Amino acid sequence: VFRSFDNMGRKNRRNKGTNEWRQDSNAPNKKPKNAWDDAKGKRGDYAELERVNEKFEAYYKAQQIIPEEEWPLLLQSYRTPLPSTFRITSFGPFAAHLKKELLTHGFRASDAALATETSTSSSSSSSSASASSSSSDTSSSTESFEINGEKIQPPTPLPWYPDHLAWHTQVPRKAFREHPELASFHRFLVAQNDQGNITRQEAVSMIPPLFLNVEPHHTVIDMCAAPGSKTTQMLEMLHLGAGKEIPKGVVIANDADEKRCYMLVHQTQRLQSPNIMVTNHEAQAFPTIDITLPSSSSSDSSSSSSSSSSSSSDTSATTNAKRNFLSVDRILCDVPCSGDGTLRKNPDLWRKWHPSFGVSLHKLQLRIALRAARLLKVGGRMVYSTCSMNPLENESVVMELLRQTKGALRLVDVSGELAGLQRRPGMTKWRVCDRTSTWYDSFDQVQNPFRAKLYASMFAPTQEEADAAGLTRCVRVYPHQQDTGGFFITVIEKVASIPVDNVPAKATAEKSQAQADANEEEQADNSVSVPSPVEEAKDEENEAEDKGKGKEEPKPTEGSNEADKGKKKRGQWHGEEPFLQVPATLAPDLAKIKEYFGLGEAFPWHLLMCRSERAPKLYLVSPRVNDVLLGNKTGKLHLINTGLRIFQRHDKHDGDPSRKPKRADQSSGDPAAMEGADLCPYRICQDGLKWMLPHITKRVAYICHKDLVVLLKENNPAHFMLTFETANALREISSGTMVFVVKENRDPSVPPRPVHSSEGMVFAAWKGKDAVRLFLSKNEMSSLRNIFVPEMLEKKDAERIEKQKARM
């Protein structure tokens, strides 16, 4: 039986009360501090950890993952901090603007953005003059500079990522917070990340979604999604080909840890997409999803389900008279792993890593991959990936997956995709060792007691079997190749239904899931043989997942409704309240909404959802999400969150008679505003506003960038503080909830002015008798001020920098 991770590698401990991993501060040959870590501070840092693990080096040298002469380069790369990387949101309105700023201004992109805003308010002649002066500054702003004697190059695009949407810089992530020279650029990155314009993500983590080739009509499942950077990447691909329309497809982000699901909610809400669903299931027991097909949409139903002639074993692509199953086009299996590819960003793993990590996770990884293969439709594509270099977690899992699916899967050759990405082919030979560091070339050599702990599926296949399977089509990315982390990727296509053997049901870990499904799905699950269970502690797998995925657990967001969780019942899931169709009793309120905002006939009323009969919030979902919600009548799909909040009841109209009514107008409290709340019991929300705007014909005012700056600087600015045109437009709108659209050229006959980065932004607002305000959260206001009114934070940054200097 494997011991827990905390006890791995700690044999013959003489002093049980001491920490044998603790480093002696007076030890000789102590590794010198990195140039970025000279400001240690009171909290300490990873510079104290010695980035050496003899077992790690011995294990991978024995596996011969790279030629012997490359080992010094690999170790040197592992022992240096990981470069900072981020990805520009591909379907966002500011993608082109951000790329231009980064290409021309480098680390001073934030200053350049502010200069662009200022130039928009000047005349055409002064604009050209400022443009010429800006171009003269570009050469100096893109030059490298030095910090602590180390030369720093400006950000550059990743050579293999399409359309220059991914960028990297040699500056480690921690250095942005420690050095005043980079404070402005760090503030710029944080603000753009909060607004969903960029996503801070490790370079190799961006590779698996690119190989999936997601299209707007696809149904996508991310089996182990937290913390969610890959999920947002696939969500962007879903929207990119759909233009300004809501895509037909859906991305289902799943994670086994309920707390980490709220991390997914926070991460995906930044993109404001109605096509995302966050679920809470163990990946190896992810359920087959029932759907309700719309009777009036036969064309869409063909993409949501397949013909009834499909095999009953592939229930993910089955339609019959009783049940309709969601057809899954793409699946990402970025499984929990030992995480040794992340040593550069997780230096603490150096002292904890042990060869048994991969052994203990092999079973779980195979189960997840087998479940994904069952869910995938014929003709669909899945990617199996890990952030580990261990063949026991990589090629051995892929090889056993191919064996057990009996020709239904094939490996895809992606050597011609992502030109510029340096990679190595998959391994065909490897060995297995036990906890005593005894090596085995085949399972026949294993003796008791290790025959119960090592599986035949872990061992390398024959050369003929490896060639037939095409294991060299797997992709290995090593840190020393392009200054990244380590990663393993395999692209798999389902070419046939997985055959079902008529064998008795087995008592596997997925038994509970099989009982929840129909008889045919239970037979399909139980027919798949899995290795004999290893009786390791359950927290061992959870800790290994944390190593590969991160540990942060953010607080639930407002949209997640954690406070409205259902009651915990024995044997039942006790998560979030279900999403419901809007009750018929709400028809009068919907009529008021339609009249108040002038919603057109094309508005998708059938795609509105709520979470209780009172309906304090209304959510907009995509058509495919709507089909899933209507089919989830039994609650088999454990849904955490989905949809976008588009309407919310005013406090005085919350529908709960036990609550004391509050002032409707938060900005002025005038009677006219109270009347506006009576005319429409709901106010419009920021989350789904960009999808609502094409349907709104009333209560919309166009503002310029100067007005936006005033609205951000002042909490409740008076009407006269805005431009004359905006103040006049507000006179025509009664008090109450409304929409602001940033559009410099309000009159189509006026020649266009230079476009600034706020052009086209939309905001939910409240108009009072004398004042107006934006309906934004504190975090949203802070990030927008970071972008458009950075001088508000200069004093705060200056104080923080002075404190840092005092510690240096």
Side-chain angles (χ1 to χ4, degrees):
V1 177
F2 285 128
R3 293 173 290 178
S4 66
F5 285 153
D6 289 338
N7 293 328
M8 283 185 175
R10 300 190 183 187
K11 284 190 173 182
N12 304 320
R13 291 171 56 176
R14 297 181 180 177
N15 299 320
K16 295 184 178 180
T18 61
N19 183 359
E20 65 183 57
W21 295 105
R22 185 174 182 180
Q23 183 177 352
D24 184 2
S25 59
N26 299 321
N29 302 323
K30 183 179 178 182
K31 180 176 170 37
K33 290 184 179 181
N34 185 278
W36 297 110
D37 301 323
D38 57 356
K40 175 182 174 182
K42 296 181 179 180
R43 295 176 297 178
D45 54 43
Y46 284 134
E48 293 183 348
L49 295 177
E50 188 176 8
R51 303 183 188 227
V52 174
N53 188 310
E54 294 180 358
K55 293 181 179 179
F56 173 84
E57 297 184 33
Y59 180 82
Y60 281 119
K61 284 183 178 180
Q63 295 288 19
Q64 298 180 358
I65 61 172
I66 59 172
E68 182 68 26
E69 60 271 14
E70 294 186 25
W71 261 102
L73 295 175
L74 178 64
L75 291 177
Q76 181 183 3
S77 179
Y78 263 131
R79 290 164 180 165
T80 57
L82 191 68
S84 299
T85 52
F86 58 92
R87 179 172 45 80
I88 299 174
T89 303
S90 54
F91 79 100
F94 311 118
H97 174 83
L98 289 174
K99 283 195 293 184
K100 180 181 178 182
E101 293 298 329
L102 289 167
L103 283 170
T104 57
H105 298 278
F107 284 123
R108 294 181 174 86
S110 53
D111 299 334
L114 180 61
T116 306
E117 312 304 341
T118 306
S119 67
T120 57
S121 62
S122 60
S123 63
S124 59
S125 59
S126 60
S127 296
S128 60
S130 62
S132 62
S133 62
S134 175
S135 62
S136 64
D137 293 338
T138 300
S139 58
S140 61
S141 61
T142 56
E143 291 179 355
S144 61
F145 59 94
E146 290 187 359
I147 296 180
N148 296 337
E150 188 171 347
K151 193 173 183 180
I152 304 302
Q153 299 294 335
T156 56
L158 290 175
W160 47 267
Y161 201 97
D163 300 328
H164 289 176
L165 288 171
W167 292 69
H168 70 141
T169 172
Q170 296 171 334
V171 181
R173 190 167 183 171
K174 189 176 67 171
F176 284 116
R177 301 187 298 268
E178 294 184 351
H179 295 275
E181 296 89 342
L182 300 173
S184 177
F185 187 70
H186 177 254
R187 186 172 61 240
F188 169 77
L189 291 180
V190 171
Q192 296 291 349
N193 182 81
D194 291 342
Q195 286 296 306
N197 297 329
I198 69 170
T199 297
R200 304 177 75 175
Q201 181 181 0
E202 188 180 350
V204 288
S205 176
M206 305 176 191
I207 300 174
L210 293 176
F211 284 136
L212 279 174
N213 297 332
V214 175
E215 298 180 9
H217 64 278
H218 282 163
T219 295
V220 186
I221 299 180
D222 192 348
M223 301 288 282
C224 310
S229 56
K230 299 182 188 69
T231 302
T232 59
Q233 194 176 354
M234 294 184 290
L235 195 59
E236 291 174 27
M237 297 176 184
L238 199 75
H239 282 275
L240 188 59
K244 295 183 179 180
E245 301 294 327
I246 296 179
K248 293 183 178 180
V250 61
V251 175
I252 301 174
N254 176 73
D255 201 83
D257 189 332
E258 186 177 358
K259 292 182 179 179
R260 291 164 64 85
C261 286
Y262 295 111
M263 183 192 306
L264 285 171
V265 173
H266 172 76
Q267 184 78 284
T268 56
Q269 278 184 341
R270 298 181 304 113
L271 299 187
Q272 298 180 348
S273 170
N275 299 76
I276 181 70
M277 302 181 74
V278 178
T279 60
N280 177 215
H281 291 274
E282 291 185 344
Q284 67 271 27
F286 193 88
T288 304
I289 300 177
D290 297 82
I291 62 172
T292 297
L293 298 180
S295 58
S296 61
S297 179
S298 59
S299 60
D300 186 62
S301 65
S302 63
S303 64
S304 300
S305 62
S306 65
S307 64
S308 58
S309 61
S310 300
S311 169
S312 62
S313 64
D314 284 319
T315 55
S316 61
T318 300
T319 302
N320 54 42
K322 296 182 179 180
R323 297 174 67 187
N324 297 314
F325 303 112
L326 185 67
S327 178
V328 183
D329 303 278
R330 300 288 187 267
I331 296 181
L332 175 61
C333 285
D334 187 47
V335 297
C337 64
S338 59
D340 51 41
T342 68
L343 283 168
R344 299 183 69 179
K345 69 176 182 180
N346 295 321
D348 193 50
L349 189 57
W350 278 102
R351 66 181 180 88
K352 295 181 179 180
W353 188 93
H354 193 277
S356 59
F357 284 12
V359 173
S360 63
L361 288 166
H362 174 87
K363 173 191 64 175
L364 175 64
Q365 293 162 339
L366 180 57
R367 285 177 173 174
I368 294 174
L370 285 167
R371 184 58 192 154
R374 288 281 176 190
L375 293 170
L376 189 66
K377 77 173 188 180
V378 176
R381 175 179 284 200
M382 64 178 281
V383 168
Y384 175 87
S385 63
T386 73
C387 51
S388 169
M389 298 290 95
N390 197 337
L392 273 63
E393 303 177 65
N394 299 331
E395 286 88 353
S396 66
V397 174
V398 173
M399 191 67 233
E400 184 64 16
L401 176 65
L402 296 178
R403 290 192 191 104
Q404 295 199 21
T405 53
K406 302 177 181 179
L409 306 178
R410 75 173 185 91
L411 303 189
V412 181
D413 183 5
V414 292
S415 58
E417 300 182 29
L418 298 186
L421 175 65
Q422 296 183 24
R423 66 197 92 178
R424 297 285 172 83
M427 299 172 61
T428 58
K429 292 292 182 182
W430 60 88
R431 307 172 70 194
V432 179
C433 76
D434 58 27
R435 290 191 58 84
T436 64
S437 299
T438 302
W439 288 92
Y440 307 98
D441 294 313
S442 67
F443 186 68
D444 295 335
Q445 299 175 355
V446 183
Q447 303 297 322
N448 287 328
F450 295 107
R451 290 188 70 88
K453 302 174 183 179
L454 303 178
Y455 317 132
S457 60
M458 294 179 177
F459 291 83
T462 63
Q463 190 61 48
E464 293 77 12
E465 190 179 12
D467 293 340
L471 279 184
T472 54
R473 293 181 176 180
C474 301
V475 176
R476 283 179 162 265
V477 179
Y478 294 107
H480 66 292
Q481 292 181 282
Q482 287 181 299
D483 198 16
T484 63
F487 227 78
F488 174 85
I489 310 105
T490 301
V491 183
I492 305 170
E493 182 181 0
K494 190 170 185 177
V495 296
S497 298
I498 299 176
V500 178
D501 296 331
N502 294 323
V503 295
K506 297 179 181 180
T508 66
E510 292 82 7
K511 181 72 176 189
S512 59
Q513 174 57 41
Q515 292 174 344
D517 282 343
N519 292 334
E520 67 274 9
E521 182 63 16
E522 181 177 4
Q523 182 183 16
D525 278 354
N526 291 331
S527 67
V528 178
S529 60
V530 296
S532 301
V534 177
E535 301 298 331
E536 69 268 19
K538 185 176 181 181
D539 62 339
E540 185 173 349
E541 292 182 355
N542 293 337
E543 184 172 348
E545 179 179 354
D546 284 340
K547 288 183 177 69
K549 301 289 184 180
K551 292 186 177 181
E552 53 181 324
E553 298 174 356
K555 296 180 180 179
T557 59
E558 177 184 356
S560 64
N561 290 337
E562 189 183 24
D564 296 331
K565 287 184 180 179
K567 294 182 179 179
K568 182 176 181 179
K569 298 180 181 180
R570 185 179 181 89
Q572 295 184 8
W573 185 65
H574 53 279
E576 297 284 352
E577 294 288 349
F579 280 81
L580 309 170
Q581 286 183 294
V582 177
T585 55
L586 208 64
D589 288 342
L590 297 183
K592 291 181 179 180
I593 293 175
K594 180 179 180 180
E595 173 62 25
Y596 194 70
F597 292 102
L599 299 180
E601 297 299 327
F603 183 77
W605 295 102
H606 64 290
L607 297 181
L608 292 188
M609 290 283 171
C610 60
R611 305 199 78 164
S612 69
E613 292 295 329
R614 299 199 332 262
K617 300 175 184 178
L618 299 180
Y619 299 86
L620 175 68
V621 299
S622 71
R624 189 75 52 82
V625 172
N626 184 65
D627 296 343
V628 174
L629 294 177
L630 295 181
N632 191 37
K633 297 178 181 178
T634 62
K636 180 176 67 173
L637 186 67
H638 299 169
L639 185 64
I640 294 292
N641 197 42
T642 189
L644 288 175
R645 187 167 50 103
I646 58 172
F647 293 114
Q648 181 168 344
R649 281 188 181 272
H650 298 295
D651 287 337
K652 65 172 292 186
H653 290 280
D654 66 357
D656 187 352
S658 64
R659 294 184 59 183
K660 184 178 179 180
K662 296 181 181 181
R663 187 174 72 239
D665 182 19
Q666 304 279 339
S667 61
S668 59
D670 60 287
M674 298 292 287
E675 293 177 5
D678 291 329
L679 291 175
C680 181
Y682 285 84
R683 67 172 176 86
I684 202 163
C685 299
Q686 182 69 25
D687 297 352
L689 187 54
K690 70 176 181 180
W691 305 107
M692 290 283 298
L693 188 61
H695 303 282
I696 299 176
T697 61
K698 297 180 180 179
R699 308 193 64 78
V700 178
Y702 293 95
I703 63 175
C704 63
H705 179 75
K706 184 178 179 181
D707 293 323
L708 176 60
V709 171
V710 173
L711 290 168
L712 293 175
K713 282 185 174 182
E714 307 292 335
N715 289 329
N716 300 298
H719 296 172
F720 69 83
M721 299 177 67
L722 305 175
T723 59
F724 178 76
E725 295 86 348
T726 301
N728 275 342
L730 290 175
R731 293 192 184 99
E732 304 298 326
I733 300 176
S734 61
S735 296
T737 180
M738 60 170 298
V739 177
F740 280 136
V741 180
V742 182
K743 190 174 184 297
E744 199 73 27
N745 302 324
R746 312 182 201 203
D747 187 349
S749 61
V750 176
R753 299 179 183 177
V755 177
H756 48 70
S757 61
S758 64
E759 183 81 10
M761 297 184 74
V762 293
F763 298 97
W766 186 276
K767 176 188 178 294
K769 180 180 179 180
D770 301 311
V772 67
R773 64 170 296 179
L774 298 179
F775 264 132
L776 298 175
S777 67
K778 291 183 179 180
N779 289 338
E780 288 174 322
M781 288 290 287
S782 177
S783 61
L784 287 170
R785 286 166 176 167
N786 262 329
I787 298 173
F788 300 118
V789 201
E791 62 270 15
M792 292 186 66
L793 303 175
E794 286 182 356
K795 182 178 179 180
K796 183 177 179 180
D797 281 347
E799 293 176 354
R800 178 176 58 84
I801 291 172
E802 288 300 324
K803 292 180 180 180
Q804 290 176 349
K805 287 182 177 180
R807 294 198 303 262
M808 293 178 65

